[in-house]
Amino acid sequence: MGAILSGCESEVRSSNNNAAKLTNGEQAAASQNIEVWPKLNPALDPDPAVEAKISHLMEKMTIEEKVGQIIQAEIKYITPEDVKKYHIGSVLNGGGTYPNNDKFSSPQDWLELSEAFFKASMDTSDGGVAIPIIWGSDAVHGHNNIVGATLFPHNIGLGAARDPEMIRRIGIATAKEVAVTGVDWTFAPTIAVVRDDRWGRTYESYSEDPAVVGAYAQAMVEGLQGDKSDADFLRGENLVATAKHFIGDGGTVRGIDRGDNQVPERELAEVHGAGYLSALPAGVQTVMASFNSWNGERLHGHRYLLTNVLKERLGFDGFVVGDWNGHRFVPGCSVDSCAAAINAGLDMFMVPSDWKALYHNTLEQAKAGEIGTERLNDAVRRILRVKIRAGLFEHIRPLAGKDGILGNKEHRELAREAVRKSLVLLKNNEKLVPINPSQNVLVVGDGAHNLSKQSGGWTISWQGTGNTREDFPGATTIFEGIQAFVAASGGQAVLSESGDFSASTFANGGGPDVAVVVYGEEPYAEWHGDIASIEYQLGEKSDLAKLKALRDAGIPVVSVFLTGRPLWVNKELNASDAFVVAWLPGSEGQGIADVLFTDENGNVRYEFSGKLPFSWPEFVHQTVLNPYHDEYQPLFALGYGLGSESESTVSNRLSEDGETYSIGELEDAWVLVSRPRAPWGLYIDDAGTLTSVTGNRMASPDDENITVASIDMESQEDARAISWKGARSGAVRLMANSKQDLSRYLAESSALMLDVRVDRKPSHSVTAEVRCGDGCVGALPLQSYLAELEPGSWASISIDLQCFAEQGADFGRVSEAFALASEEELNMAVANIRYVPGAAENAMVKCAG
Ligand code: BGC
Ligand code: BGC
């Protein structure tokens, strides 16, 4: 509770730097106090002509047509015929969905599908009213779902630039690229103000500073939609924008995606509301409800926040769209039925696949009065208002199908400018950078020539995974940018991902004069990207090894760090002479060379000007670190960033002891929560043959004796189904590369907890294991417990860690946090595997201790 504030009075600085005081009483309860929200007028004056047109349309609409308007389905699951038949109001393409299921669909293919949906929506042959459909897409760093688009740096990098005017230009460019494909609406910007950097959407946030988010939200909305006073506002080359995710998405406890935000209302308004207070006056037309809850109540069903605050107090007259099946989290709701969300103030359901069932149920609820007529009419009125304002009835699409806009030179130049301005220089011993280019430059690291890694999540695919060079026509890697510039300046740059080099590496026979090492996080997106620890390469450290090897060879080392959030990198900092945070720069990798190198005469070409949008941690426990926090002791403060000429001040001997668990309370140790959590990786062990489980489905070689597949328990792919055919005995193991000290979990009476589902009661031996290297294992028979479960249903199991210890597990050096072994045929599923402090007492399986 009150995660970021403690003491009886804490300060929350609002955008204008007036200090607002929070008292203890306010922190304690979620008592509602509408006064903490400013009273805003609607951004646009009511337009009687528009309202009259809406009334006219609505008089003719049947209740079926009205319900159709409030449904948004996904293009994989709906056809133009369906749109016509059910009078569906909207479609979206999710991350990684393309027309015809083809990643390489051309802009023309996108446009054709869009035209087909439009025509279907305007088809009145069944006697209905023609209402244009609206198509939404996540253009969150450029039109990132389409191959060939310009990919701008992710928001966190833009935050470092502190340049709202540039943000506006990026909005304009993005709108144009989207408009080419016939998409009317983008689910951007994300205006989350992040508190716990372990959240997997931290990079979608501009900053932890509400003032930066406030300024950017306005600029981006104006860039995407146009200025509200312009004649072509929302039309022509402009789009409809979304402020998301309302509200408090960045403030969930422990940074858990879709979790609970427990701050007092004043903080909700002043910190998490900062972007809304500027996006709404700028005229943003849609707001997306968030998955998260506020003090236990889900936003999708939050009448007070959606209706009383957003629509009434903040004067929002556009429409509230749900997030991906987000309504199903509301108590009493399911994916296909949720009157409560509409009644609370949601105007449009985002219901990708189950739209038909939801449509029928909602229609029944509307007919039965479970959803009031007035509320349904208000939702439809809001949707029609936005459609009219956006000119969808006129269907004027000046950019539709135009060649030469998507990924054009001008937009790529702008993205490159954004890359330059996003770079934050943290360390620069002896002014190593900017580097003179007329030298031998060794370019090292798996991020140097890797467009996937430099682009991050929400890139062509949802998680940004599975992309190769072919998926980025027109893009430039960081290495390519360096290579071209250095070559043109009389030097030579050579790529060596491993860092190895020899006497023949450089044409001039010399050794490297400097090494530029590019490394960092692998792509991820929402909720898959949540992490348990902010330590970079926890349990691995292969990049550190490269830095050290170069250092040992006497080569000055520049780190270029690709990341979606601040991470604990003291070791990497110590091993680098200079350290640049490049965030997730996107398609224009040349922007890095622009700043990293001087001209051939040693003159600075572009200053390092990026300022940290997030505070940088000195210790591993500093996951919630911002100036609004009482104990603010960052390694680098919010706003830090060296200029090209400034002296570096950071020590070369930062503490390398992460002090992970000695400070503060011991938290749950996640092993597999949605996905395996670092340092743990999931492996199939088929009679000794190990297979690493990487995709959604993986099987042991040859006869697929053991299979692991991702399935849904509560949310997408949060569980794993495991099947043993029984040809040989085998196991699934959660293993780390190096031994982990988990002894504090044993000391603090923890239990291993997991959710399981058995498809049939096992009649043979099934064991749970914790391993600690060769011959060191604690194994427990599990079948009698599994036999008590009801087949086909999920149940949770908890085992006192002491039981594993008594059987021989040494928690001081754990190599496998959990394994399940079976000798014969078995089908079961597992989820949420974790060590929970204090849970031993009530564990299902207990031991003496
Ligand atoms: C979709 C994404 C969506 C996600 C929600 C994915 O399958 O492609 O667009 O955000 O599911 O869980
Ligand atoms: C995400 C949203 C996104 C939507 C559609 C959801 O899972 O939370 O940000 O707009 O999917 O892809």
Side-chain angles (χ1 to χ4, degrees):
M1 287 289 275
I4 73 159
L5 297 159
S6 54
C8 56
E9 277 200 338
S10 313
E11 269 192 4
V12 172
R13 267 168 254 166
S14 57
S15 20
N16 54 16
N17 260 337
N18 287 335
K21 301 283 186 194
L22 288 181
T23 66
N24 231 2
E26 282 173 316
Q27 290 173 42
S31 62
Q32 292 170 358
N33 176 13
I34 199 107
E35 302 293 321
V36 303
W37 306 87
K39 175 98 189 88
L40 301 180
N41 290 323
L44 304 176
D45 291 335
D47 182 337
V50 170
E51 299 307 314
K53 175 165 182 180
I54 299 171
S55 303
H56 181 68
L57 290 166
M58 286 182 59
E59 273 158 28
K60 292 185 287 179
M61 288 169 80
T62 61
I63 190 164
E64 285 79 5
E65 292 176 274
K66 289 179 181 173
V67 170
Q69 278 305 304
I70 69 169
I71 300 273
Q72 179 184 62
E74 216 265 2
I75 61 166
K76 246 194 306 206
Y77 305 101
I78 192 164
T79 62
E81 292 73 64
D82 293 326
V83 165
K84 175 181 168 208
K85 181 164 173 205
Y86 294 93
H87 306 280
I88 295 301
S90 178
V91 289
L92 87 149
N93 67 290
T97 300
Y98 330 93
N100 316 314
N101 256 325
D102 178 4
K103 191 179 202 177
F104 292 97
S105 277
S106 65
Q108 203 56 44
D109 298 328
W110 284 75
L111 182 60
E112 270 165 29
L113 184 59
S114 150
E115 288 293 330
F117 280 126
F118 174 76
K119 284 209 186 80
S121 70
M122 300 302 277
D123 185 334
T124 54
S125 56
D126 63 358
V129 184
I131 311 277
I133 196 160
I134 183 166
W135 179 337
S137 184
D138 295 282
V140 302
H141 67 135
H143 197 8
N144 43 256
N145 282 292
I146 179 160
V147 167
T150 308
L151 299 170
F152 293 93
H154 268 297
N155 288 352
I156 194 168
L158 299 180
R162 302 289 206 281
D163 186 349
E165 185 277 329
M166 181 179 74
I167 300 310
R168 187 187 316 270
R169 286 186 283 137
I170 291 175
I172 293 171
T174 304
K176 286 186 183 167
E177 296 208 6
V178 174
V180 171
T181 58
V183 170
D184 319 286
W185 173 22
T186 173
F187 304 130
T190 294
I191 51 178
V193 180
V194 178
R195 283 296 168 260
D196 191 318
D197 300 349
R198 291 175 294 183
W199 189 36
R201 303 191 84 154
T202 300
Y203 68 80
E204 294 185 59
S205 164
Y206 294 118
S207 176
E208 71 189 22
D209 184 347
V212 174
V213 174
Y216 272 30
Q218 177 185 345
M220 186 51 98
V221 166
E222 288 175 353
L224 291 165
Q225 298 195 349
D227 192 292
K228 68 180 183 184
S229 60
D230 291 348
D232 66 348
F233 178 56
L234 303 168
R235 295 162 177 243
E237 303 190 349
N238 298 313
L239 290 184
V240 174
T242 311
K244 76 182 186 185
H245 310 81
F246 187 80
I247 189 175
D249 50 351
T252 59
V253 174
R254 293 187 63 195
I256 293 175
D257 197 42
R258 309 176 180 191
D260 191 27
N261 185 320
Q262 302 179 344
V263 301
E265 188 170 5
R266 182 182 294 275
E267 193 177 333
L268 192 70
E270 293 183 357
V271 174
H272 301 284
Y276 297 92
L277 300 185
S278 65
L280 292 170
V284 71
Q285 292 296 297
T286 74
V287 169
M288 189 182 289
S290 190
F291 282 124
N292 68 270
S293 40
W294 179 48
N295 290 308
E297 195 176 339
R298 288 284 176 186
L299 257 299
H300 277 68
H302 214 297
R303 199 189 141 77
Y304 172 70
L305 288 172
L306 295 182
T307 299
N308 303 124
V309 172
L310 177 63
K311 292 178 176 175
E312 294 168 6
R313 183 83 179 171
L314 302 180
F316 176 60
D317 69 0
F319 68 87
V320 178
V321 64
D323 201 346
W324 192 277
N325 285 333
H327 52 275
R328 74 173 163 158
F329 294 116
V330 176
C333 290
S334 57
V335 170
D336 60 12
S337 169
C338 194
I342 299 300
N343 287 336
L346 192 84
D347 299 309
M348 181 185 278
F349 288 112
M350 184 187 286
V351 54
S353 54
D354 298 285
W355 59 269
K356 210 180 276 179
L358 182 68
Y359 167 85
H360 286 299
N361 289 330
T362 308
L363 183 59
E364 287 316 307
Q365 290 154 351
K367 285 183 176 166
E370 261 180 79
I371 295 173
T373 311
E374 241 178 80
R375 179 71 268 274
L376 178 63
N377 282 342
D378 174 56
V380 174
R381 175 169 289 274
R382 288 166 175 275
I383 293 166
L384 297 188
R385 186 180 288 140
V386 172
K387 289 182 172 181
I388 293 171
R389 284 176 176 165
L392 302 187
F393 283 84
E394 290 87 347
H395 198 56
I396 305 165
R397 293 179 152 173
L399 299 184
K402 281 245 169 84
D403 288 337
I405 293 175
L406 201 91
N408 70 16
K409 192 157 181 301
E410 184 194 335
H411 295 168
R412 289 185 188 278
E413 274 306 319
L414 174 57
R416 181 171 173 173
E417 172 190 341
V419 174
R420 289 195 291 262
K421 292 181 172 169
S422 71
L423 303 178
V424 181
L425 181 61
L426 295 183
K427 175 173 184 176
N428 194 14
N429 285 355
E430 282 146 47
K431 297 192 185 168
L432 175 59
V433 298
I435 307 163
N436 191 307
S438 49
Q439 308 185 72
N440 288 349
V441 181
L442 192 68
V443 184
V444 180
D446 67 0
H449 195 47
N450 187 336
L451 292 164
S452 270
K453 204 156 168 157
Q454 76 189 44
S455 303
W458 293 108
T459 299
I460 308 166
S461 65
W462 176 37
Q463 295 287 324
T465 48
N467 297 323
T468 61
R469 175 88 230 195
E470 287 69 62
D471 303 322
F472 297 88
T476 307
T477 67
I478 295 169
F479 168 67
E480 287 165 343
I482 294 177
Q483 187 186 36
F485 181 70
V486 169
S489 313
Q492 196 193 351
V494 175
L495 178 68
S496 163
E497 281 192 10
S498 65
D500 296 344
F501 59 92
S502 69
S504 58
T505 299
F506 291 92
N508 59 12
D513 296 311
V514 60
V516 176
V517 190
V518 190
Y519 57 96
E521 289 191 307
E522 294 299 331
Y524 57 79
E526 46 176 324
W527 140 68
H528 287 246
D530 292 354
I531 48 176
S533 164
I534 56 165
E535 176 168 353
Y536 178 62
Q537 283 195 332
L538 179 63
E540 210 216 330
K541 298 285 184 270
S542 54
D543 292 318
L544 180 64
K546 289 179 196 171
L547 302 175
K548 285 185 166 166
L550 292 161
R551 266 274 193 89
D552 290 347
I555 302 163
V557 172
V558 181
S559 280
V560 175
F561 192 49
L562 300 173
T563 189
R565 55 193 147 204
L567 290 173
W568 187 72
V569 288
N570 284 12
K571 294 180 183 181
E572 289 79 6
L573 276 162
N574 285 342
S576 307
D577 299 285
F579 197 99
V580 179
V581 184
W583 314 106
L584 299 167
S587 59
E588 305 315 302
Q590 324 89 303
I592 295 179
D594 289 346
V595 187
L596 205 55
F597 292 88
T598 63
D599 67 14
E600 55 217 87
N601 303 317
N603 299 316
V604 170
R605 297 186 303 145
Y606 296 96
E607 277 282 339
F608 273 99
S609 60
K611 303 285 173 220
L612 282 179
F614 281 79
S615 308
W616 201 275
E618 179 163 13
F619 299 104
V620 184
H621 69 277
Q622 291 175 317
T623 57
V624 178
L625 180 66
N626 57 66
Y628 312 95
H629 192 279
D630 271 356
E631 294 156 39
Y632 184 58
Q633 286 167 359
L635 178 59
F636 301 109
L638 176 69
Y640 186 86
L642 297 169
S644 299
E645 296 298 330
S646 42
E647 281 294 344
S648 185
T649 54
V650 63
S651 155
N652 293 321
R653 289 165 199 248
L654 295 170
S655 162
E656 298 206 350
D657 175 2
E659 285 293 342
T660 326
Y661 302 115
S662 61
I663 302 173
E665 272 174 40
L666 192 62
E667 295 184 326
D668 296 4
W670 287 356
V671 182
L672 185 153
V673 177
S674 287
R675 57 184 180 81
R677 297 298 166 137
W680 311 107
L682 184 59
Y683 293 84
I684 295 172
D685 171 0
D686 186 10
T689 306
L690 282 185
T691 308
S692 153
V693 179
T694 48
N696 298 339
R697 185 184 177 281
M698 213 70 165
S700 51
D702 305 327
D703 58 353
E704 307 210 328
N705 182 34
I706 304 173
T707 311
V708 175
S710 301
I711 56 163
D712 301 354
M713 182 180 69
E714 275 185 345
S715 50
Q716 274 170 300
E717 303 192 354
D718 59 344
R720 298 292 179 281
I722 310 169
S723 83
W724 286 261
K725 283 189 190 162
R728 289 167 297 282
S729 67
V732 290
R733 306 189 177 281
L734 283 145
M735 309 172 65
N737 287 343
S738 60
K739 305 260 168 74
Q740 304 292 313
D741 181 359
L742 300 178
S743 49
R744 262 197 82 189
Y745 284 88
L746 185 64
E748 300 217 3
S749 312
S750 308
L752 172 93
M753 300 190 68
L754 69 157
D755 296 318
V756 294
R757 190 185 71 193
V758 285
D759 294 352
R760 209 166 355 110
K761 294 183 196 291
S763 53
H764 58 278
S765 143
V766 180
T767 42
E769 300 173 354
V770 171
R771 288 187 174 255
C772 28
D774 271 354
C776 177
V777 54
L780 295 173
L782 210 58
Q783 70 269 28
S784 59
Y785 298 100
L786 297 180
E788 281 171 27
L789 306 179
E790 189 186 325
S793 316
W794 284 98
S796 45
I797 303 199
S798 47
I799 309 172
D800 183 352
L801 289 192
Q802 196 64 48
C803 306
F804 292 103
E806 283 177 11
Q807 297 302 314
D810 177 352
F811 281 92
R813 49 185 182 109
V814 176
S815 56
E816 288 178 29
F818 182 65
L820 261 182
S822 174
E823 284 167 2
E824 282 162 43
E825 189 186 337
L826 175 67
N827 288 305
M828 65 183 287
V830 297
N832 291 323
I833 307 174
R834 68 235 185 255
Y835 288 10
V836 182
E841 201 187 337
N842 295 317
M844 205 171 134
V845 185
K846 278 199 251 190
C847 293

